[in-house]
Amino acid sequence: MQFFLIFFRLCAAVLAVYAGLFLAGCSVVESRLSRDEQLTQLLNDTVGSKAHGVLLYLDTPGDPFLGEAGVADRETGAPIKIGSTLRLGSITKTYVAALAVRAAEQGLLDLDAQIGTYLDADVMAKLPSGLNPTVRQLLNHTSGVPDYYSERFYETDWKRTEPLTPDLVLHAIRGLEATTTPGTDYAYSNTNYHLAALTLEAVTGKPIKDQFAGIIFEPLELEETYYDSAFPPGDVIHGYGSPFGEWEDTYEFRENSGPDGGMFATAADTARWIRALFSEEGAFADTGRVMTANPVKERERKEQGMGAEILISRSGARVVGHTGAIDGYLTAAFYIPAADTVMVLHMNKFDDALFSSLTGNTLRIVMATTKDE
């Protein structure tokens, strides 16, 4: 039960994998090793004696890095491979928020309109009494809508091999009160993105899956990106660690479904999306600028835009992207403007402290070697 409670707290907050070492501004130990040598050593040290795998994809123009260490499957010992399809978890929220911004640009919705303007009364009736946040408040987690993750959800509502649906999610928040008055305090809630997807489907008349394909996947030629697909091509990495067991194999779980966490992609496709969204010259740069404008403060040196997390070091360096966590898997995807680099990092063991250390050290190595050059 102790492990269950710890795991639940991390999931409900969508983890504290926000590069703590990077944010703290810890000094970088001088090294004669090159960037690639330092990163390779870091990956190997992270795996160490633990039976899990890590992979790192750096998209730096003219100087990419592809690193992998450890296993994709403890049972077979198959090594983790950089070209595998990753379960991106909450990185999915960047795609949903981008669709919402595009819909607003087309006049299909108003980001500052209350969601009751667009959603059916039966959906609104399943929210805490009187709660009617705006679309923007859903996307930046100031809606007051409670998160569906809870002990009750895990113990009674969700069957682990069944997908997460809006009906299930709305049922899981039954009887819960609003976490805050809309537009005031930040409170992360995965439920927000199920409501955002329902809103997008209502105003466009198209399933969210078709919107992803037509607006994002096809224009950017993301041929190895999939949404809400059970075991798509390349999805061979087994994950480990859940509320039911610290080393439980979660490969058969369907937590990797729904608009809050149902995206799958290779590291290369993920990097292409993050660069398109957050780099100055990206094909979706205008959308990314709207998503990161006027962010709300989550905590010291961490801000939340619409579907975008913004990390700020003590020196003022900023990175933007999102983290993802589902049972057994942790992922980070960030654009680092100072290095013109996209970092995609993935680990198939639910170990928040280890992943936080790995993320922070990776960011610091990339920033330090950029300065050296």
Side-chain angles (χ1 to χ4, degrees), residues 201-228:
E201 291 179 342
V203 300
T204 65
K206 297 179 180 179
I208 195 76
K209 187 172 186 175
D210 292 346
Q211 296 179 56
F212 285 137
I215 297 174
I216 297 175
F217 300 170
E218 292 169 9
L220 293 179
E221 299 182 350
L222 301 179
E223 298 179 355
E224 295 178 303
T225 301
Y226 315 91
Y227 173 70
D228 235 0

mmCIF file of all heavy atoms in Angstrom, residues 201-228:
data_model
loop_
_atom_site.group_PDB
_atom_site.id
_atom_site.type_symbol
_atom_site.label_atom_id
_atom_site.label_comp_id
_atom_site.label_asym_id
_atom_site.label_seq_id
_atom_site.Cartn_x
_atom_site.Cartn_y
_atom_site.Cartn_z
ATOM 1 N N GLU A 201 -14.109 17.889 -30.682
ATOM 2 C CA GLU A 201 -14.980 17.051 -31.513
ATOM 3 C C GLU A 201 -16.330 17.720 -31.731
ATOM 4 O O GLU A 201 -16.912 17.636 -32.832
ATOM 5 C CB GLU A 201 -15.149 15.683 -30.857
ATOM 6 C CG GLU A 201 -13.863 14.851 -30.885
ATOM 7 C CD GLU A 201 -13.984 13.512 -30.218
ATOM 8 O OE1 GLU A 201 -14.946 13.305 -29.422
ATOM 9 O OE2 GLU A 201 -13.126 12.647 -30.472
ATOM 10 N N ALA A 202 -16.819 18.439 -30.717
ATOM 11 C CA ALA A 202 -18.117 19.110 -30.837
ATOM 12 C C ALA A 202 -18.073 20.245 -31.861
ATOM 13 O O ALA A 202 -19.011 20.425 -32.647
ATOM 14 C CB ALA A 202 -18.549 19.647 -29.476
ATOM 15 N N VAL A 203 -16.979 21.012 -31.867
ATOM 16 C CA VAL A 203 -16.938 22.188 -32.749
ATOM 17 C C VAL A 203 -16.506 21.845 -34.169
ATOM 18 O O VAL A 203 -16.778 22.610 -35.100
ATOM 19 C CB VAL A 203 -16.028 23.292 -32.181
ATOM 20 C CG1 VAL A 203 -16.533 23.741 -30.807
ATOM 21 C CG2 VAL A 203 -14.573 22.855 -32.112
ATOM 22 N N THR A 204 -15.816 20.735 -34.358
ATOM 23 C CA THR A 204 -15.356 20.351 -35.698
ATOM 24 C C THR A 204 -16.212 19.272 -36.337
ATOM 25 O O THR A 204 -16.209 19.117 -37.562
ATOM 26 C CB THR A 204 -13.910 19.839 -35.663
ATOM 27 O OG1 THR A 204 -13.853 18.628 -34.892
ATOM 28 C CG2 THR A 204 -12.965 20.877 -35.073
ATOM 29 N N GLY A 205 -16.920 18.500 -35.510
ATOM 30 C CA GLY A 205 -17.687 17.374 -36.031
ATOM 31 C C GLY A 205 -16.823 16.208 -36.442
ATOM 32 O O GLY A 205 -17.302 15.291 -37.131
ATOM 33 N N LYS A 206 -15.550 16.213 -36.011
ATOM 34 C CA LYS A 206 -14.624 15.143 -36.389
ATOM 35 C C LYS A 206 -14.016 14.491 -35.155
ATOM 36 O O LYS A 206 -13.711 15.184 -34.176
ATOM 37 C CB LYS A 206 -13.489 15.698 -37.257
ATOM 38 C CG LYS A 206 -13.925 16.275 -38.593
ATOM 39 C CD LYS A 206 -12.725 16.807 -39.355
ATOM 40 C CE LYS A 206 -13.130 17.401 -40.691
ATOM 41 N NZ LYS A 206 -11.951 17.955 -41.426
ATOM 42 N N PRO A 207 -13.816 13.174 -35.193
ATOM 43 C CA PRO A 207 -13.124 12.513 -34.082
ATOM 44 C C PRO A 207 -11.733 13.106 -33.888
ATOM 45 O O PRO A 207 -11.078 13.518 -34.853
ATOM 46 C CB PRO A 207 -13.049 11.049 -34.527
ATOM 47 C CG PRO A 207 -14.127 10.896 -35.544
ATOM 48 C CD PRO A 207 -14.214 12.220 -36.246
ATOM 49 N N ILE A 208 -11.281 13.170 -32.656
ATOM 50 C CA ILE A 208 -9.972 13.747 -32.366
ATOM 51 C C ILE A 208 -8.868 13.024 -33.124
ATOM 52 O O ILE A 208 -7.893 13.637 -33.561
ATOM 53 C CB ILE A 208 -9.711 13.736 -30.838
ATOM 54 C CG1 ILE A 208 -8.536 14.644 -30.471
ATOM 55 C CG2 ILE A 208 -9.501 12.333 -30.326
ATOM 56 C CD1 ILE A 208 -8.842 16.092 -30.491
ATOM 57 N N LYS A 209 -9.014 11.734 -33.323
ATOM 58 C CA LYS A 209 -8.008 10.960 -34.044
ATOM 59 C C LYS A 209 -7.849 11.471 -35.471
ATOM 60 O O LYS A 209 -6.726 11.582 -35.988
ATOM 61 C CB LYS A 209 -8.377 9.476 -34.043
ATOM 62 C CG LYS A 209 -7.321 8.554 -34.621
ATOM 63 C CD LYS A 209 -7.686 7.100 -34.391
ATOM 64 C CE LYS A 209 -6.561 6.180 -34.844
ATOM 65 N NZ LYS A 209 -6.857 4.751 -34.521
ATOM 66 N N ASP A 210 -8.974 11.775 -36.124
ATOM 67 C CA ASP A 210 -8.923 12.291 -37.495
ATOM 68 C C ASP A 210 -8.323 13.698 -37.527
ATOM 69 O O ASP A 210 -7.636 14.068 -38.494
ATOM 70 C CB ASP A 210 -10.318 12.314 -38.103
ATOM 71 C CG ASP A 210 -10.885 10.918 -38.330
ATOM 72 O OD1 ASP A 210 -10.105 9.944 -38.262
ATOM 73 O OD2 ASP A 210 -12.103 10.799 -38.559
ATOM 74 N N GLN A 211 -8.571 14.498 -36.501
ATOM 75 C CA GLN A 211 -7.974 15.824 -36.440
ATOM 76 C C GLN A 211 -6.459 15.748 -36.302
ATOM 77 O O GLN A 211 -5.729 16.507 -36.944
ATOM 78 C CB GLN A 211 -8.580 16.611 -35.275
ATOM 79 C CG GLN A 211 -10.076 16.883 -35.427
ATOM 80 C CD GLN A 211 -10.640 17.638 -34.249
ATOM 81 O OE1 GLN A 211 -10.172 18.727 -33.899
ATOM 82 N NE2 GLN A 211 -11.657 17.070 -33.608
ATOM 83 N N PHE A 212 -5.979 14.845 -35.453
ATOM 84 C CA PHE A 212 -4.532 14.658 -35.350
ATOM 85 C C PHE A 212 -3.940 14.324 -36.713
ATOM 86 O O PHE A 212 -2.921 14.902 -37.126
ATOM 87 C CB PHE A 212 -4.208 13.516 -34.383
ATOM 88 C CG PHE A 212 -4.387 13.846 -32.933
ATOM 89 C CD1 PHE A 212 -4.996 12.944 -32.074
ATOM 90 C CD2 PHE A 212 -3.944 15.054 -32.407
ATOM 91 C CE1 PHE A 212 -5.154 13.233 -30.725
ATOM 92 C CE2 PHE A 212 -4.100 15.353 -31.058
ATOM 93 C CZ PHE A 212 -4.708 14.430 -30.217
ATOM 94 N N ALA A 213 -4.569 13.391 -37.414
ATOM 95 C CA ALA A 213 -4.034 12.935 -38.700
ATOM 96 C C ALA A 213 -4.022 14.058 -39.730
ATOM 97 O O ALA A 213 -3.005 14.304 -40.391
ATOM 98 C CB ALA A 213 -4.852 11.745 -39.204
ATOM 99 N N GLY A 214 -5.147 14.757 -39.879
ATOM 100 C CA GLY A 214 -5.258 15.746 -40.940
ATOM 101 C C GLY A 214 -4.513 17.041 -40.677
ATOM 102 O O GLY A 214 -4.017 17.674 -41.620
ATOM 103 N N ILE A 215 -4.411 17.444 -39.413
ATOM 104 C CA ILE A 215 -3.818 18.744 -39.099
ATOM 105 C C ILE A 215 -2.352 18.636 -38.698
ATOM 106 O O ILE A 215 -1.558 19.554 -38.958
ATOM 107 C CB ILE A 215 -4.630 19.429 -37.971
ATOM 108 C CG1 ILE A 215 -6.061 19.687 -38.455
ATOM 109 C CG2 ILE A 215 -3.978 20.738 -37.520
ATOM 110 C CD1 ILE A 215 -6.997 20.219 -37.377
ATOM 111 N N ILE A 216 -1.955 17.509 -38.105
ATOM 112 C CA ILE A 216 -0.578 17.400 -37.598
ATOM 113 C C ILE A 216 0.221 16.301 -38.298
ATOM 114 O O ILE A 216 1.279 16.567 -38.884
ATOM 115 C CB ILE A 216 -0.587 17.147 -36.072
ATOM 116 C CG1 ILE A 216 -1.214 18.346 -35.348
ATOM 117 C CG2 ILE A 216 0.841 16.909 -35.558
ATOM 118 C CD1 ILE A 216 -1.383 18.152 -33.848
ATOM 119 N N PHE A 217 -0.255 15.069 -38.257
ATOM 120 C CA PHE A 217 0.547 13.952 -38.755
ATOM 121 C C PHE A 217 0.872 14.076 -40.239
ATOM 122 O O PHE A 217 2.041 13.966 -40.644
ATOM 123 C CB PHE A 217 -0.160 12.621 -38.519
ATOM 124 C CG PHE A 217 -0.465 12.286 -37.089
ATOM 125 C CD1 PHE A 217 -1.287 11.220 -36.777
ATOM 126 C CD2 PHE A 217 0.068 13.026 -36.043
ATOM 127 C CE1 PHE A 217 -1.576 10.893 -35.459
ATOM 128 C CE2 PHE A 217 -0.228 12.719 -34.714
ATOM 129 C CZ PHE A 217 -1.055 11.651 -34.431
ATOM 130 N N GLU A 218 -0.150 14.285 -41.042
ATOM 131 C CA GLU A 218 0.056 14.305 -42.492
ATOM 132 C C GLU A 218 0.872 15.505 -42.962
ATOM 133 O O GLU A 218 1.834 15.338 -43.732
ATOM 134 C CB GLU A 218 -1.291 14.217 -43.208
ATOM 135 C CG GLU A 218 -1.974 12.862 -43.016
ATOM 136 C CD GLU A 218 -3.411 12.853 -43.495
ATOM 137 O OE1 GLU A 218 -3.846 13.854 -44.133
ATOM 138 O OE2 GLU A 218 -4.115 11.858 -43.230
ATOM 139 N N PRO A 219 0.561 16.725 -42.540
ATOM 140 C CA PRO A 219 1.379 17.869 -42.979
ATOM 141 C C PRO A 219 2.844 17.767 -42.580
ATOM 142 O O PRO A 219 3.724 18.206 -43.329
ATOM 143 C CB PRO A 219 0.699 19.067 -42.301
ATOM 144 C CG PRO A 219 -0.714 18.634 -42.092
ATOM 145 C CD PRO A 219 -0.625 17.174 -41.784
ATOM 146 N N LEU A 220 3.128 17.208 -41.399
ATOM 147 C CA LEU A 220 4.513 17.099 -40.940
ATOM 148 C C LEU A 220 5.165 15.767 -41.328
ATOM 149 O O LEU A 220 6.318 15.521 -40.982
ATOM 150 C CB LEU A 220 4.576 17.269 -39.417
ATOM 151 C CG LEU A 220 4.219 18.650 -38.872
ATOM 152 C CD1 LEU A 220 4.303 18.660 -37.347
ATOM 153 C CD2 LEU A 220 5.129 19.726 -39.458
ATOM 154 N N GLU A 221 4.402 14.946 -42.058
ATOM 155 C CA GLU A 221 4.897 13.628 -42.491
ATOM 156 C C GLU A 221 5.392 12.800 -41.296
ATOM 157 O O GLU A 221 6.468 12.198 -41.332
ATOM 158 C CB GLU A 221 6.000 13.782 -43.550
ATOM 159 C CG GLU A 221 5.518 14.488 -44.808
ATOM 160 C CD GLU A 221 6.598 14.609 -45.872
ATOM 161 O OE1 GLU A 221 7.765 14.312 -45.573
ATOM 162 O OE2 GLU A 221 6.261 14.988 -47.010
ATOM 163 N N LEU A 222 4.575 12.775 -40.269
ATOM 164 C CA LEU A 222 4.883 11.970 -39.090
ATOM 165 C C LEU A 222 4.329 10.562 -39.323
ATOM 166 O O LEU A 222 3.251 10.199 -38.850
ATOM 167 C CB LEU A 222 4.265 12.604 -37.845
ATOM 168 C CG LEU A 222 4.721 14.033 -37.532
ATOM 169 C CD1 LEU A 222 4.019 14.572 -36.287
ATOM 170 C CD2 LEU A 222 6.235 14.084 -37.337
ATOM 171 N N GLU A 223 5.089 9.772 -40.046
ATOM 172 C CA GLU A 223 4.618 8.461 -40.470
ATOM 173 C C GLU A 223 4.798 7.383 -39.408
ATOM 174 O O GLU A 223 4.320 6.259 -39.577
ATOM 175 C CB GLU A 223 5.336 8.056 -41.762
ATOM 176 C CG GLU A 223 5.038 9.008 -42.919
ATOM 177 C CD GLU A 223 5.769 8.633 -44.195
ATOM 178 O OE1 GLU A 223 6.583 7.682 -44.144
ATOM 179 O OE2 GLU A 223 5.508 9.270 -45.234
ATOM 180 N N GLU A 224 5.484 7.730 -38.318
ATOM 181 C CA GLU A 224 5.662 6.772 -37.230
ATOM 182 C C GLU A 224 5.091 7.348 -35.929
ATOM 183 O O GLU A 224 5.654 7.200 -34.851
ATOM 184 C CB GLU A 224 7.138 6.424 -37.069
ATOM 185 C CG GLU A 224 7.713 5.698 -38.281
ATOM 186 C CD GLU A 224 9.190 5.400 -38.140
ATOM 187 O OE1 GLU A 224 9.968 6.344 -37.938
ATOM 188 O OE2 GLU A 224 9.570 4.212 -38.225
ATOM 189 N N THR A 225 3.954 8.039 -36.067
ATOM 190 C CA THR A 225 3.214 8.575 -34.937
ATOM 191 C C THR A 225 1.800 8.015 -35.001
ATOM 192 O O THR A 225 1.184 7.989 -36.062
ATOM 193 C CB THR A 225 3.171 10.114 -34.985
ATOM 194 O OG1 THR A 225 4.505 10.620 -34.956
ATOM 195 C CG2 THR A 225 2.417 10.676 -33.796
ATOM 196 N N TYR A 226 1.303 7.562 -33.855
ATOM 197 C CA TYR A 226 0.009 6.885 -33.801
ATOM 198 C C TYR A 226 -0.759 7.391 -32.577
ATOM 199 O O TYR A 226 -0.166 7.701 -31.545
ATOM 200 C CB TYR A 226 0.194 5.366 -33.671
ATOM 201 C CG TYR A 226 1.243 4.795 -34.590
ATOM 202 C CD1 TYR A 226 2.567 4.679 -34.166
ATOM 203 C CD2 TYR A 226 0.921 4.379 -35.882
ATOM 204 C CE1 TYR A 226 3.539 4.166 -35.009
ATOM 205 C CE2 TYR A 226 1.887 3.865 -36.734
ATOM 206 C CZ TYR A 226 3.204 3.767 -36.288
ATOM 207 O OH TYR A 226 4.173 3.262 -37.122
ATOM 208 N N TYR A 227 -2.089 7.435 -32.695
ATOM 209 C CA TYR A 227 -2.906 7.848 -31.562
ATOM 210 C C TYR A 227 -3.907 6.759 -31.212
ATOM 211 O O TYR A 227 -4.586 6.217 -32.088
ATOM 212 C CB TYR A 227 -3.652 9.146 -31.868
ATOM 213 C CG TYR A 227 -4.646 9.516 -30.780
ATOM 214 C CD1 TYR A 227 -4.191 9.943 -29.529
ATOM 215 C CD2 TYR A 227 -6.012 9.382 -30.986
ATOM 216 C CE1 TYR A 227 -5.082 10.240 -28.514
ATOM 217 C CE2 TYR A 227 -6.913 9.691 -29.975
ATOM 218 C CZ TYR A 227 -6.443 10.109 -28.745
ATOM 219 O OH TYR A 227 -7.328 10.385 -27.738
ATOM 220 N N ASP A 228 -3.983 6.459 -29.916
ATOM 221 C CA ASP A 228 -4.987 5.535 -29.387
ATOM 222 C C ASP A 228 -4.970 4.205 -30.132
ATOM 223 O O ASP A 228 -6.021 3.639 -30.451
ATOM 224 C CB ASP A 228 -6.380 6.165 -29.475
ATOM 225 C CG ASP A 228 -7.062 6.187 -28.121
ATOM 226 O OD1 ASP A 228 -6.464 5.723 -27.136
ATOM 227 O OD2 ASP A 228 -8.218 6.659 -28.049
#
